[in-house]
Amino acid sequence: MSSRALDYTALVIALIGAVNWGLIGFFRFNLVTFLFGDMVWVTRIIYALVGICGLYLFTLFGRIEAFGEKI
């Protein structure tokens, strides 16, 4: 998998996590728990994956050369 594909995959997963946190904050509705159950192994894997993708996206800052240029 190329770095660019990994970047976009991590970004999509992190955005899904952000939408879930927005739903929790605004409506007290947890989409992940609704779909997969309360802290079953699948739910824990999803939360861990979102967290790992968020941490991976920190590497994006080191790879940005200049404002407005492609990564």
Side-chain angles (χ1 to χ4, degrees):
M1 181 178 272
S2 72
S3 176
R4 185 174 209 119
L6 186 59
D7 290 345
Y8 283 115
T9 302
L11 184 60
V12 167
I13 292 173
L15 287 174
I16 290 169
V19 168
N20 188 52
W21 277 109
L23 289 171
I24 292 169
F26 289 118
F27 305 112
R28 295 181 186 227
F29 178 72
N30 188 335
L31 184 61
V32 175
T33 300
F34 177 76
L35 293 175
F36 300 107
D38 189 26
M39 292 311 278
V40 295
W41 63 274
V42 175
T43 305
R44 292 185 67 184
I45 290 172
I46 291 169
Y47 286 134
L49 189 59
V50 169
I52 289 169
C53 288
L55 291 174
Y56 172 78
L57 289 175
F58 276 117
T59 66
L60 189 66
F61 288 117
R63 291 183 279 136
I64 296 175
E65 294 177 4
F67 183 75
E69 290 186 21
K70 290 186 178 180
I71 302 169

